[in-house]
Amino acid sequence: QSQFVESGGGLVQPGGSLRLSCVASGFTVNTYCIAWFRQAPGKEREGVSWISGNGGSTNARDSVKGRFTISRSNAKNTVYLQMNNVKPDDTGVYYCAAYGRYYCSGYVESDYNYWGQGTQVTVSS
């Protein structure tokens, strides 16, 4: 069965850092576009960042550009989201998801086939 397991969330102060991990099983991450989404309390889920199957292309939403970095370890079959200089607006449940193609084309949730269970990130002083 193909699935993701996310980890690395927690409570962090504004300006701090976290690294989220997303371990895949049942498929290899370097054959799919992988994205991170997040859902803040009372809001719809939104795309945060994606990385293409070969890692050659990445994307990040404007509000996290320069602060968040997506990367991948093929050896560990894991995708990461390095979050620096976090802000209270970054609070939410973070999910990773796999798009059923090698190249990414956006953050339309129905395009993503496999989802993790999410990991909670809370930014607060």
Side-chain angles (χ1 to χ4, degrees):
Q1 182 178 359
S2 300
Q3 63 178 356
F4 283 118
V5 177
E6 299 101 331
S7 63
L11 175 63
V12 60
Q13 293 186 344
S17 297
L18 279 176
R19 188 175 80 158
L20 306 183
S21 299
C22 175
V23 180
S25 60
F27 65 99
T28 53
V29 295
N30 65 350
T31 58
Y32 289 90
C33 163
I34 307 294
W36 284 95
F37 289 77
R38 68 185 180 188
Q39 186 166 23
K43 295 186 178 180
E44 293 187 353
R45 190 156 53 186
E46 62 183 14
V48 176
S49 185
W50 55 248
I51 185 167
S52 63
N54 64 353
S57 298
T58 61
N59 175 271
R61 66 183 300 110
D62 288 345
S63 62
V64 307
K65 282 181 180 177
R67 300 188 299 119
F68 291 10
T69 302
I70 192 170
S71 63
R72 187 181 62 218
S73 167
N74 294 335
K76 296 183 178 180
N77 210 29
T78 299
V79 175
Y80 303 99
L81 185 69
Q82 178 66 43
M83 306 169 60
N84 297 329
N85 190 25
V86 296
K87 303 176 181 181
D89 284 349
D90 296 322
T91 294
V93 179
Y94 283 70
Y95 303 86
C96 56
Y99 181 41
R101 295 183 180 180
Y102 191 78
Y103 294 106
C104 304
S105 64
Y107 298 107
V108 177
E109 292 188 27
S110 58
D111 289 339
Y112 288 82
N113 304 103
Y114 309 125
W115 290 80
Q117 82 290 349
T119 185
Q120 176 70 47
V121 172
T122 303
V123 182
S124 175
S125 55

